[in-house]
Short mmCIF file of all heavy atoms in Angstrom, two decimals:
data_model
loop_
_atom_site.label_atom_id
_atom_site.label_comp_id
_atom_site.label_asym_id
_atom_site.label_seq_id
_atom_site.Cartn_x
_atom_site.Cartn_y
_atom_site.Cartn_z
N LEU A 5 102.90 -7.65 38.35
CA LEU A 5 103.00 -6.28 38.84
C LEU A 5 103.76 -6.33 40.17
O LEU A 5 103.34 -7.03 41.10
CB LEU A 5 101.61 -5.68 39.07
CG LEU A 5 101.57 -4.30 39.71
CD1 LEU A 5 102.29 -3.25 38.85
CD2 LEU A 5 100.12 -3.86 39.97
N VAL A 6 104.91 -5.64 40.23
CA VAL A 6 105.73 -5.65 41.44
C VAL A 6 105.75 -4.23 42.00
O VAL A 6 106.33 -3.32 41.40
CB VAL A 6 107.17 -6.12 41.13
CG1 VAL A 6 108.04 -6.04 42.38
CG2 VAL A 6 107.17 -7.54 40.58
N THR A 7 105.10 -4.04 43.16
CA THR A 7 105.15 -2.71 43.78
C THR A 7 106.45 -2.58 44.58
O THR A 7 106.96 -3.57 45.10
CB THR A 7 103.95 -2.48 44.72
OG1 THR A 7 104.13 -3.29 45.89
CG2 THR A 7 102.62 -2.81 44.05
N GLY A 8 106.99 -1.37 44.63
CA GLY A 8 108.24 -1.17 45.39
C GLY A 8 109.44 -1.83 44.73
O GLY A 8 110.44 -2.11 45.39
N GLY A 9 109.36 -2.04 43.42
CA GLY A 9 110.43 -2.76 42.70
C GLY A 9 111.71 -1.96 42.50
O GLY A 9 112.70 -2.50 42.00
N ALA A 10 111.70 -0.68 42.91
CA ALA A 10 112.95 0.10 42.83
C ALA A 10 113.65 0.15 44.19
O ALA A 10 114.67 0.83 44.35
CB ALA A 10 112.66 1.52 42.33
N THR A 30 106.01 -5.39 35.48
CA THR A 30 105.77 -3.95 35.58
C THR A 30 106.04 -3.54 37.02
O THR A 30 105.48 -4.14 37.95
CB THR A 30 104.32 -3.59 35.20
OG1 THR A 30 104.11 -3.97 33.84
CG2 THR A 30 104.08 -2.09 35.35
N VAL A 31 106.92 -2.57 37.18
CA VAL A 31 107.23 -2.06 38.52
C VAL A 31 106.42 -0.80 38.77
O VAL A 31 106.41 0.11 37.93
CB VAL A 31 108.74 -1.73 38.63
CG1 VAL A 31 109.04 -0.95 39.91
CG2 VAL A 31 109.58 -3.00 38.57
N LEU A 32 105.72 -0.75 39.90
CA LEU A 32 105.07 0.49 40.35
C LEU A 32 105.83 0.98 41.57
O LEU A 32 105.92 0.25 42.57
CB LEU A 32 103.60 0.24 40.72
CG LEU A 32 102.91 1.42 41.43
CD1 LEU A 32 102.81 2.65 40.53
CD2 LEU A 32 101.51 1.02 41.92
N ASP A 33 106.40 2.18 41.49
CA ASP A 33 107.20 2.68 42.61
C ASP A 33 107.10 4.20 42.67
O ASP A 33 107.16 4.88 41.65
CB ASP A 33 108.67 2.24 42.45
CG ASP A 33 109.44 2.32 43.75
OD1 ASP A 33 109.63 3.45 44.28
OD2 ASP A 33 109.85 1.25 44.26
N LYS A 34 106.99 4.71 43.89
CA LYS A 34 106.86 6.16 44.09
C LYS A 34 108.21 6.87 44.05
O LYS A 34 108.28 8.09 44.04
CB LYS A 34 106.20 6.36 45.48
CG LYS A 34 105.75 7.76 45.80
CD LYS A 34 105.14 7.75 47.20
CE LYS A 34 104.72 9.14 47.66
NZ LYS A 34 104.16 9.10 49.03
N ASP A 53 108.83 -2.91 32.60
CA ASP A 53 108.29 -1.54 32.47
C ASP A 53 108.33 -0.88 33.83
O ASP A 53 108.15 -1.55 34.85
CB ASP A 53 106.81 -1.57 32.06
CG ASP A 53 106.62 -2.04 30.65
OD1 ASP A 53 107.52 -1.79 29.83
OD2 ASP A 53 105.58 -2.69 30.40
N PHE A 54 108.52 0.43 33.83
CA PHE A 54 108.50 1.16 35.10
C PHE A 54 107.38 2.19 35.09
O PHE A 54 107.24 2.96 34.14
CB PHE A 54 109.84 1.86 35.35
CG PHE A 54 109.83 2.61 36.65
CD1 PHE A 54 110.00 1.93 37.84
CD2 PHE A 54 109.58 3.98 36.68
CE1 PHE A 54 109.93 2.60 39.06
CE2 PHE A 54 109.52 4.66 37.89
CZ PHE A 54 109.70 3.96 39.09
N VAL A 55 106.58 2.20 36.14
CA VAL A 55 105.53 3.22 36.31
C VAL A 55 105.80 3.96 37.61
O VAL A 55 105.92 3.34 38.67
CB VAL A 55 104.12 2.58 36.34
CG1 VAL A 55 103.06 3.65 36.58
CG2 VAL A 55 103.86 1.82 35.06
N HIS A 56 105.92 5.28 37.50
CA HIS A 56 106.17 6.11 38.68
C HIS A 56 104.84 6.48 39.31
O HIS A 56 104.02 7.17 38.69
CB HIS A 56 106.93 7.38 38.23
CG HIS A 56 107.34 8.24 39.38
ND1 HIS A 56 107.64 9.57 39.25
CD2 HIS A 56 107.51 7.95 40.68
CE1 HIS A 56 107.98 10.06 40.42
NE2 HIS A 56 107.91 9.09 41.31
N GLY A 57 104.58 6.00 40.53
CA GLY A 57 103.30 6.32 41.16
C GLY A 57 103.20 5.77 42.56
O GLY A 57 104.04 4.98 43.01
N ASP A 58 102.13 6.20 43.23
CA ASP A 58 101.89 5.87 44.63
C ASP A 58 100.94 4.67 44.71
O ASP A 58 99.89 4.68 44.06
CB ASP A 58 101.27 7.11 45.31
CG ASP A 58 101.17 6.97 46.81
OD1 ASP A 58 101.05 5.84 47.32
OD2 ASP A 58 101.19 8.02 47.48
N VAL A 59 101.30 3.70 45.50
CA VAL A 59 100.44 2.52 45.65
C VAL A 59 99.11 2.87 46.34
O VAL A 59 98.15 2.08 46.28
CB VAL A 59 101.22 1.40 46.41
CG1 VAL A 59 101.37 1.73 47.87
CG2 VAL A 59 100.59 0.05 46.20
N ILE A 64 95.82 4.88 39.41
CA ILE A 64 96.98 4.19 38.80
C ILE A 64 96.93 2.70 39.13
O ILE A 64 97.14 1.85 38.27
CB ILE A 64 98.31 4.77 39.35
CG1 ILE A 64 98.45 6.24 38.99
CG2 ILE A 64 99.52 3.99 38.86
CD1 ILE A 64 99.68 6.91 39.60
N VAL A 65 96.65 2.40 40.39
CA VAL A 65 96.70 1.01 40.85
C VAL A 65 95.67 0.15 40.10
O VAL A 65 95.98 -0.94 39.62
CB VAL A 65 96.48 0.95 42.38
CG1 VAL A 65 96.16 -0.45 42.86
CG2 VAL A 65 97.73 1.48 43.10
N LEU A 68 96.79 -0.70 36.54
CA LEU A 68 97.89 -1.68 36.47
C LEU A 68 97.42 -3.07 36.90
O LEU A 68 97.79 -4.07 36.29
CB LEU A 68 99.06 -1.22 37.34
CG LEU A 68 99.75 0.07 36.88
CD1 LEU A 68 100.82 0.49 37.88
CD2 LEU A 68 100.37 -0.12 35.49
N ALA A 79 106.10 -2.62 48.11
CA ALA A 79 106.19 -1.19 48.44
C ALA A 79 105.84 -0.93 49.90
O ALA A 79 104.80 -1.39 50.39
CB ALA A 79 105.26 -0.38 47.54
N LEU A 105 95.53 -1.40 47.13
CA LEU A 105 95.90 -2.51 46.26
C LEU A 105 94.90 -3.67 46.43
O LEU A 105 94.48 -4.29 45.44
CB LEU A 105 97.31 -2.95 46.67
CG LEU A 105 98.16 -3.73 45.69
CD1 LEU A 105 98.22 -3.05 44.33
CD2 LEU A 105 99.58 -3.85 46.26
#
Side-chain angles (χ1 to χ4, degrees):
L5 174 61
V6 177
T7 71
T30 298
V31 169
L32 170 64
D33 199 294
K34 190 180 177 181
D53 290 329
F54 180 78
V55 177
H56 185 201
D58 189 332
V59 73
I64 298 175
V65 165
L68 294 175
L105 201 51

